[in-house]
Amino acid sequence: MVTGTRPAPVLAARAAVVASVVLAAFPAAAGASPSAPAAVTRASTTGAPVVVRLVPESRGRGKAQRIVTRIDAFSAGGVRRHVRTVRDGGLVPQPAVSPDRRRVAFARADGRIAIVTLRDGALRLLRPPGLPRPRPERGDVDRSRWAVAPGAGVSWSPDGRVVVAHALVQRDPDRWASTLGEVRSVACTVASGRCTTAGRGAPSDLLPLAGGRTLRLDGPSPSDDRDGGSSYQLDGVRQQRLVLARRRDPVRTAASVSASPTGSGRLRVLRAIRSDAKAGIVALGSRVSGPAGVLVRRNATRLGPPRDQEGIPSSGPAIDLRSRVLAPWLVSPTGHLSTLPLRLAVTPIGTLPDGRWLVPTSEVRASSRFGPPEPGLATLDRRGRVRALLVGGRPVTPVRLALDAGLPDPFAAGAGFLAAWPAGDDLLVALQDSGYGGTVFFLGDSALVRIPLDGRTPPRLVDHEGGASYDAR
Amino acid sequence: MTPAEFGTTDDRSRRPEDRWFRIDVRSRALLAFAVVLAGGAVLAPAAPAEVVRITSDPAADSDAPDVVAIAAFPATADAGRIAGLPVAGLPDDVATFEAAPPGGPVAYAGQGPTGPAPADRFDDQPHRPLAGLVPLGGGPVVPFTGPTGGPLGRAFRPYSNAANDQPDPWITWAPDGASLVLHAVGRDPRADPWFAAPASRRCVVATARCEPVAPRDVVDLPGGGTVQVDAGLTAPIGANRSLGRDSAESRVTTKRFRARAGRRYAVTVRVAGRPGPAATWTTSGVLRTGAPAYDRSYASAAGVLVRTSRVRAPRSSGRDAYESVGADAGRAAIVRADGTIRSLGRFGYEVVGTLPDGRWVLTGGSGERFERGPTGLPLSTLDADGRIAPITSGTRPVSPVWAASTAGLPDSLSTTAKVEHAGVDGATGLLVLVLRFSDDDGGGRVVAVTPDGSAPPRLLRDAPGRPSDDDYVVR
């Protein structure tokens, strides 16, 4: 849902209008000091936003127990309406509302892409070819160690004709490689129901650009947001040697543009990097679409034997992974790639109509320090400038937002930003309480809060439900 | 409606953490009225609260003592502007401070090396219990000694074996402030602390000497007499331990453990030194299903709260290479000032202070669906009849995260805030909270909360960037 795109031609024009309003009303947004607060202007979408939530629910007992996904839609007044319940949605389904606001799509736990019409609850299932076949003895992992990823994100093309499931399947990672994941994404044409393959040759991601073009990304995916390293204990010296021997295998990381909305056909390579684990594998992190284009986070990971303080390699059965955050790529809607002048160590949680990204903290730069950065919504523009987002002169932080909205204090204590969407003069923010865990299946407690940007009206709680995920358009 | 009844009006069909939140508007109005009426009772005016600040300087030379100054001031003062008086001779390894009744000194307790220990050899040094008095007027501290002027307790080697790690001593003051009891001191240092009987020493302020009270724990009862606790197991709540078989020491411990696995352990509380028949309270069990262990006691003007933990060693499969023993919250009992005993159920709260009327201030709780820390849970009070009621500011329950965030602390601190000490300023009715944060090296913060909710919580001390690691005690 965070990766969702908007109708580019309409938004481009609207963004221009919005940008001019921002520049006129808030000179600080035109490029003043980095510490200047950010302004959020009225969203360009017309009418009240459509909010959809998915909630996993348990049905049946014992061997008959299964997880179903309850789909609800919220009206402008906040009234919730049950749309339908879908089987096999998995524990963490991620919804994406279509550009025409009539449908919602999400990836099911079996790899099929569900498209549900919000008006009547009609369900359509698209099955990408090449999905891994689970082996009973290995759970859902197939013989080549590929499996359907839980909670794959889905996004729509700006014209609503194509649905992309991001990182739909993933390689069952080795312990040592958990920070260098391999994923595959698919694109499905809604009208024909045909999807690109999830098997060999599938890209790591596909992101719709303007004019029917698609950005295709290939290469590994990192999971680490920060600079840092860790050592992994292996079972023996032999296994360690095998892993270290792979250090010299070249890995290709590339960004290309396809003229096809499904990423197929001839590719125009924007940037391609061949790297190895000895020098540092370049991996492409979260990819966030918005009116300004696609933001691609990157990092480089080195793999080697652990070294002591004097730099002498250890002889024990362990290997060392050390990652470094790199400057992100920005691929414009026209397919031009540039590198932003900052090291981006957080994942944006939404976009604004003027093209800026919403990031969950103003401390976006890489750091190896222990502990989370100070949270507080901020904006990142296409020049790499970060500004704190102030509402009523105060930063918007998860704890304050949860307390002001009347969420329970335990929720506030564990709250973090999940996603954000502009909604008229307001901002819709999804919060999640990750809590302290302690259970095997801990579904995060979720809430949706509406923040009036006038700074005078307190935030209003729209919804609060355990395990819910939201999308708004 | 009393505060206790107020605490039971919630809709229990919802999750425990948002029961208070789900109360409808009508109930809230009634609630507000009731709390306004009860507010004076919740935070009853009495003597002004005093905050004692013990300032450390972590940037100091590692060979020099960390603790450098002490200051006592009214809870309503701006503590950041009050200079502390220099203190000399306080050891680095103080684990706890406990203030005497107003006007008296502050007692400290901990455990540290028996002699000067270079930083790189610290763990190799024999340790022994440390305790003493810090005069509020500054100057040298007065260390406690044994009955003949010798060391306070027997030396032990920490970290050589997890089973031999001794718990930090803790302190309860006698109501008159003339003496105190030093708990968890005087046990056999070679024994596994979990399988040791409780031990304590009574220290007289005037002589600075401590007499053993072993083999039981003793706490002074405000109405006269003492509460004596006998137990076969002693374990703090939340502690856990794995008894590995890899080392020789652990094998011995495991062997001991197995020999004791089927034994029934008991915690017995007796009231002594009072006329009439002595009241007793006993709880017992076996390790496989849960045996009670003595945790600690908390004295107040209303009596003594005795808390136990439940030690369990689930039967391991034959393939497991170790026996694991864990402890969680067990039952509790209140010995009232008149010598009678009120038994409570499982008690999952932490006690962080007492109110002038004798109620205990609690944080955390065991009513959670999922295990959570106390940061988001409301503070509450426990009275001598065992009734638990939430503490409110106006109609708003007071939780650490709310107090910290509303007082202006950043989210990174608010989300890890825990109440370390709590007290009430009798002059203003302010609830004074000493907050600690897990990710902060800057020491505690003191926040004052109004009982009627007329003003948001206020930070009494705000010294960002100050190179200190302060401890606070509220009395």
Side-chain angles (χ1 to χ4, degrees):
Chain A
M1 51 191 185
V2 176
T3 56
T5 54
R6 302 288 189 270
V10 179
L11 279 177
R14 288 171 176 165
V17 173
V18 165
S20 63
V21 172
V22 171
L23 292 175
F26 302 94
S33 68
S35 60
V40 178
T41 55
R42 184 184 178 84
S44 59
T45 49
T46 55
V50 168
V51 178
V52 172
R53 79 167 189 190
L54 303 186
V55 182
E57 292 180 348
S58 171
R59 296 283 165 83
R61 289 182 177 180
K63 290 183 179 178
Q65 186 182 24
R66 60 178 54 183
I67 301 292
V68 299
T69 300
R70 177 185 170 93
I71 305 171
D72 298 318
F74 291 84
S75 70
V79 178
R80 193 176 72 233
R81 177 176 64 87
H82 178 52
V83 176
R84 82 168 282 153
T85 298
V86 177
R87 288 191 310 168
D88 299 329
L91 283 171
V92 281
Q94 305 294 319
V97 179
S98 65
D100 62 6
R101 302 174 174 180
R102 292 178 179 171
R103 292 163 291 177
V104 63
F106 63 96
R108 295 203 320 183
D110 60 2
R112 296 188 187 196
I113 298 164
I115 299 177
V116 176
T117 306
L118 292 176
R119 183 172 54 84
D120 57 6
L123 170 68
R124 191 162 167 230
L125 290 174
L126 310 181
R127 188 184 192 286
L131 286 174
R133 293 181 179 176
R135 286 189 300 168
E137 71 273 20
R138 287 294 308 275
D140 55 356
V141 179
D142 80 350
R143 199 169 290 278
S144 57
R145 297 183 21 247
W146 285 88
V148 174
V154 174
S155 65
W156 292 78
S157 65
D159 58 9
R161 294 180 180 177
V162 173
V163 170
V164 175
H166 306 276
L168 182 65
V169 296
Q170 66 180 10
R171 193 119 189 220
D172 182 26
D174 289 323
R175 275 184 303 175
W176 64 270
S178 60
T179 57
L180 281 174
E182 293 177 74
V183 296
R184 290 170 179 167
S185 302
V186 301
C188 300
T189 306
V190 177
S192 66
R194 289 186 180 174
C195 301
T196 59
T197 180
R200 186 186 296 269
S204 63
D205 210 350
L206 292 167
L207 295 124
L209 296 171
R213 287 185 290 267
T214 306
L215 173 65
R216 174 186 167 121
L217 301 172
D218 293 280
S221 297
S223 59
D224 213 351
D225 269 355
R226 308 197 149 267
D227 284 349
S230 52
S231 291
Y232 289 80
Q233 199 73 26
L234 297 181
D235 292 338
V237 175
R238 184 171 172 274
Q239 188 186 357
Q240 180 186 5
R241 285 180 178 159
L242 283 173
V243 171
L244 292 178
R246 290 168 61 180
R247 279 204 306 162
R248 297 180 191 281
D249 295 344
V251 175
R252 182 174 183 270
T253 305
S256 318
V257 170
S258 164
S260 160
T262 58
S264 53
R266 187 171 179 176
L267 297 175
R268 176 167 62 93
V269 177
L270 299 176
R271 201 72 59 90
I273 299 169
R274 289 180 80 82
S275 55
D276 60 42
K278 188 175 182 182
I281 295 173
V282 176
L284 303 180
S286 59
R287 304 96 190 211
V288 185
S289 295
V294 178
L295 191 65
V296 182
R297 287 182 45 233
R298 299 186 303 147
N299 76 6
T301 302
R302 286 185 180 183
L303 175 71
R307 296 174 184 272
D308 61 17
Q309 290 182 339
E310 283 77 37
I312 301 171
S314 161
S315 57
I319 58 170
D320 197 46
L321 278 166
R322 198 154 293 277
S323 60
R324 189 165 60 91
V325 174
L326 304 176
W329 286 342
L330 173 62
V331 181
S332 72
T334 56
H336 175 73
L337 188 148
S338 59
T339 304
L340 290 188
L342 85 162
R343 297 169 67 200
L344 183 63
V346 297
T347 302
I349 60 169
T351 55
L352 295 174
D354 61 4
R356 289 177 296 166
W357 290 272
L358 284 166
V359 286
T361 172
S362 58
E363 298 176 32
V364 300
R365 287 166 180 79
S367 164
S368 57
R369 75 172 192 175
F370 177 75
E374 198 61 57
L377 278 182
T379 61
L380 167 69
D381 67 15
R382 68 192 78 188
R383 293 186 184 177
R385 293 173 300 192
V386 180
R387 292 192 185 86
L389 178 67
L390 303 181
V391 175
R394 297 201 322 170
V396 182
T397 70
V399 172
R400 285 193 185 139
L401 190 55
L403 291 173
D404 290 349
L407 283 158
D409 289 5
F411 186 104
F417 291 122
L418 204 58
W421 308 267
D425 290 331
D426 303 345
L427 198 61
L428 278 169
V429 175
L431 296 172
Q432 187 171 51
D433 166 25
S434 53
Y436 281 77
T439 55
V440 177
F441 295 109
F442 183 80
L443 299 175
D445 203 1
S446 305
L448 190 67
V449 177
R450 190 168 190 131
I451 311 172
L453 295 174
D454 59 10
R456 295 184 298 274
T457 318
R460 184 169 64 83
L461 183 64
V462 178
D463 188 46
H464 175 203
E465 186 64 48
S469 56
Y470 303 92
D471 191 30
R473 188 184 283 268
Chain B
M1 184 185 289
T2 68
E5 290 164 340
F6 152 59
T8 62
T9 55
D10 302 336
D11 174 9
R12 294 188 182 275
S13 63
R14 292 292 300 182
R15 282 169 298 207
E17 65 267 31
D18 58 7
R19 274 180 205 146
W20 61 267
F21 172 72
R22 305 294 300 186
I23 299 168
D24 60 31
V25 175
R26 187 178 163 193
S27 299
R28 284 186 183 202
L30 289 170
L31 210 65
F33 181 64
V35 170
V36 167
L37 286 179
V42 172
L43 305 174
E50 190 176 53
V51 177
V52 179
R53 184 186 69 206
I54 302 101
T55 302
S56 303
D57 185 359
D61 186 345
S62 60
D63 293 334
D66 288 343
V67 179
V68 294
I70 189 164
F73 45 85
T76 52
D78 186 351
R81 296 178 184 167
I82 296 174
L85 294 167
V87 171
L90 195 59
D92 291 349
D93 310 292
V94 170
T96 184
F97 291 94
E98 205 70 52
V106 172
Y108 68 86
Q111 45 189 334
T114 51
D120 58 339
R121 303 279 299 174
F122 183 85
D123 292 353
D124 297 336
Q125 293 287 318
H127 281 45
R128 74 168 80 244
L130 305 167
L133 299 169
V134 187
L136 282 184
V141 302
V142 181
F144 286 137
T145 65
T148 59
L152 188 59
R154 292 165 65 180
F156 61 94
R157 285 189 180 275
Y159 316 116
S160 60
N161 176 3
N164 287 343
D165 279 354
Q166 295 293 313
D168 284 320
W170 46 280
I171 301 162
T172 54
W173 278 92
D176 60 3
S179 68
L180 59 83
V181 177
L182 202 55
H183 307 267
V185 169
R187 298 195 290 204
D188 181 357
R190 295 166 303 180
D192 186 324
W194 280 27
F195 294 93
S200 56
R201 305 206 165 191
R202 180 175 294 279
C203 305
V204 179
V205 171
T207 62
R209 299 205 169 179
C210 304
E211 297 279 348
V213 201
R216 62 176 58 92
D217 206 22
V218 170
V219 184
D220 292 308
L221 198 57
T226 57
V227 175
Q228 300 183 349
V229 184
D230 291 286
L233 290 169
T234 48
I237 286 175
N240 57 68
R241 179 172 312 161
S242 297
L243 304 179
R245 292 175 184 162
D246 296 336
S247 68
E249 292 84 3
S250 295
R251 269 201 294 274
V252 172
T253 308
T254 304
K255 200 171 172 183
R256 287 178 184 171
F257 163 73
R258 290 200 163 172
R260 294 165 173 173
R263 184 190 298 179
R264 177 164 285 271
Y265 288 92
V267 173
T268 302
V269 176
R270 287 190 189 85
V271 180
R274 291 182 62 88
T280 60
W281 176 82
T282 300
T283 176
S284 66
V286 295
L287 283 168
R288 290 296 183 205
T289 56
Y294 176 52
D295 178 16
R296 64 175 290 179
S297 300
Y298 303 87
S300 82
V304 174
L305 169 64
V306 180
R307 197 174 68 166
T308 72
S309 56
R310 183 178 60 174
V311 176
R312 281 195 295 183
R315 191 178 297 278
S316 58
S317 70
R319 289 177 296 180
D320 287 344
Y322 57 88
E323 294 275 358
S324 65
V325 184
D328 58 3
R331 297 173 62 196
I334 296 171
V335 183
R336 299 186 182 102
D338 62 4
T340 59
I341 297 179
R342 170 83 162 86
S343 180
L344 306 178
R346 282 194 71 198
F347 191 76
Y349 297 88
E350 289 289 328
V351 181
V352 292
T354 57
L355 298 181
D357 63 5
R359 283 180 293 169
W360 293 268
V361 181
L362 312 178
T363 180
S366 56
E368 281 283 293
R369 183 175 53 160
F370 298 117
E371 182 184 347
R372 289 186 195 261
T375 303
L377 299 178
L379 298 175
S380 46
T381 60
L382 169 73
D383 68 14
D385 292 325
R387 289 177 298 198
I388 293 174
I391 294 178
T392 56
S393 174
T395 57
R396 182 50 165 98
V398 176
S399 68
V401 65
W402 173 77
S405 179
T406 316
L409 290 172
D411 279 19
S412 57
L413 294 182
S414 304
T415 51
T416 62
K418 291 177 181 171
V419 174
E420 194 173 55
H421 294 286
V424 165
D425 180 57
T428 60
L430 286 174
L431 175 68
V432 182
L433 306 176
V434 176
L435 299 176
R436 278 276 177 184
F437 315 95
S438 61
D439 292 336
D440 182 39
D441 294 330
R445 306 283 203 285
V446 183
V447 170
V449 182
T450 57
D452 57 1
S454 57
R458 188 170 70 90
L459 198 60
L460 293 187
R461 176 224 156 192
D462 190 10
R466 185 175 159 192
S468 63
D469 186 6
D470 294 353
D471 282 290
Y472 290 89
V473 181
V474 181
R475 63 180 178 186

